[in-house]
Amino acid sequence: MKTNQPLRSPIGRDRHAGQYQQNTTRIAAIITIFVTMIIICASVVPSLSQEPRPGPARSVTIPAIKETTLKNGLTVSVVEKRSIPMITVQLLIRAGAYNETLEKAGLADLTTSMLTKGTRTRSAEQIAQEIEFLGGGINSGAGWNSSAVTIGVTSDKIEKAMSIMADVVRNPTFPRSELDLLKTQAIDGLTYNLTQPGFIAGYVASRYTFNEHPAGGTTASIESIAVDDLRAFYNKQIGPRSSVLIFAGDISATAATQLAERYFGSWASDAQEARYTALPSSGSNSTASNRLLVIDVPESGQAAVTYARSLNGVRRFEKTDFYPSAVLNSLLGGGYSSRLNQEIRIKRGLSYGAGSGFAWRPAAARFTARTQTKNESAPEVAELMIAEVNRLTTGEVPPAELDPRKSVLTGGFGRNIETTGGLVNALADLYTFDLPNTTLNSYVTDVGGVTDAQIRDFAKAHLLGGDIIIVGDYSKFK
């Protein structure tokens, strides 16, 4: 019988059979290797359910802080960091929103922001162009406790940068056109932010819980600020006796002091250093929350839930206040693995994130825990917050939980001071709160020494009795 199938030679069949056998052998070898690797990895890698313990905290050494005072009263502080050719310089001004009134809220920030918007010899555009030509940056602004003008450049450009910095600090003209622009931007930003539940909760807490005005101002207070208000704040609050000139980076103490003398030595002003009034202790409370404030924002897409507590008499410069509070905050709401985030986000999926923080004043602190959630779950989230604050006052914190939270603090601190900007900010914190120069070098040790008993005692004494503030669509959670 004839067929149309082509004839295959025995040689061809043998060749295909040989290739098939080789491929089969190769695949078997790969599978064997893969299985062996899995067995080896399983024998040496710990269970994924066991979190790795943090290693020992690394010591952090800050170079010596060298300080001098010019004849006009300006303090000059220098830390040499020669590893990279960068220098950050900050003029820290010991005056901020604390020194303004509710009627003129926002004045401190507007005044210091306007310093870079025009001088007797430079326009705002010229200031920006000249500092940009140097490959550097300049910024200014105010917080609650202090204000600052900061520059950052490579060390070979420091002379020219200092001349620009001195000009904006000593010779501002506060152009009306630039003020009008800043006010418009501030009001536009505030108007938008006041539609956001999270912002509203913090904004209201400043007055309702902390008895302070909003540092950024209100639409009415910003609108009322005139050029004469800026000049008056500048003349009263900004001067050599109320300021510290901080250098960090690739510069010697001698060279930094010479620059300070050259550009700021003849600076004269009637401004005096601000003095803060100590507030009485807030005492303790036996209940987990004191007041409930609901702000109805109809058709809000979500609700903001905030727990706020004013801690009058808790002092930044007291180690027994600051370090237990820092570790407590890391434990409660200071990161992804903190208790609030674990309970609210990870376990229940009620929010994208939850956190907490302390805002420090020289003689007080402001504590908030905060998150945002669906309107319908706002009551549940409020209860979870209160429960977690309560748990701090009663339960023990095992080393397996406490040690990693300490490592978060010390690791972040070490990273921050690696940059000249971070180092300047750390020094500014010292001068703002009148802390000793040894504070930075003892930070890792002081954090490491905090015990769970100290956390518990601090929480019992200060965190109970806070306010719950919920901002959202009341019809959906009432």
Side-chain angles (χ1 to χ4, degrees), residues 399-430:
E401 183 183 17
L402 184 58
D403 292 345
R405 304 320 300 166
K406 291 179 181 179
S407 295
V408 169
L409 291 175
T410 55
F413 173 77
R415 287 193 302 273
N416 288 340
I417 62 172
E418 281 299 309
T419 66
T420 57
L423 191 51
V424 160
N425 289 334
L427 292 175
D429 198 51
L430 299 186

Side-chain angles (χ1 to χ4, degrees), residues 94-129:
R94 290 185 173 117
Y98 177 90
N99 305 91
E100 65 193 19
T101 64
L102 172 62
E103 292 73 24
K104 297 294 181 181
L107 176 59
D109 190 54
L110 277 177
T111 302
T112 48
S113 296
M114 281 290 292
L115 295 179
T116 61
K117 302 304 179 183
T119 71
R120 297 170 191 166
T121 57
R122 292 178 171 95
S123 66
E125 185 178 1
Q126 288 173 323
I127 293 168
Q129 287 177 342

Side-chain angles (χ1 to χ4, degrees), residues 317-338:
F317 54 79
E318 292 286 355
K319 287 187 175 183
T320 53
D321 287 339
F322 178 70
Y323 292 103
S325 70
V327 179
L328 178 154
N329 186 68
S330 180
L331 177 71
L332 178 66
Y336 186 82
S337 299
S338 64

Side-chain angles (χ1 to χ4, degrees), residues 11-12 40 114 125 144 241 258 288 303 354 364 397 424 457:
I11 297 176
I40 293 173
M114 281 290 292
E125 185 178 1
W144 184 265
R241 284 186 292 275
Q258 289 174 346
V397 186
V424 160
D457 291 344

Side-chain angles (χ1 to χ4, degrees), residues 239-297:
R241 284 186 292 275
S242 64
S243 303
V244 180
L245 189 63
I246 304 170
F247 292 80
D250 185 24
I251 190 169
S252 68
T254 300
T257 303
Q258 289 174 346
L259 286 172
E261 185 67 55
R262 183 178 310 142
Y263 290 106
F264 289 94
S266 60
W267 185 22
S269 171
D270 294 330
Q272 301 294 323
E273 181 179 345
R275 297 296 179 185
Y276 293 86
T277 303
L279 299 173
S281 173
S282 59
S284 61
N285 292 269
S286 58
T287 56
S289 64
N290 188 13
R291 299 179 297 177
L292 172 63
L293 174 66
V294 171
I295 299 175
D296 186 18
V297 182

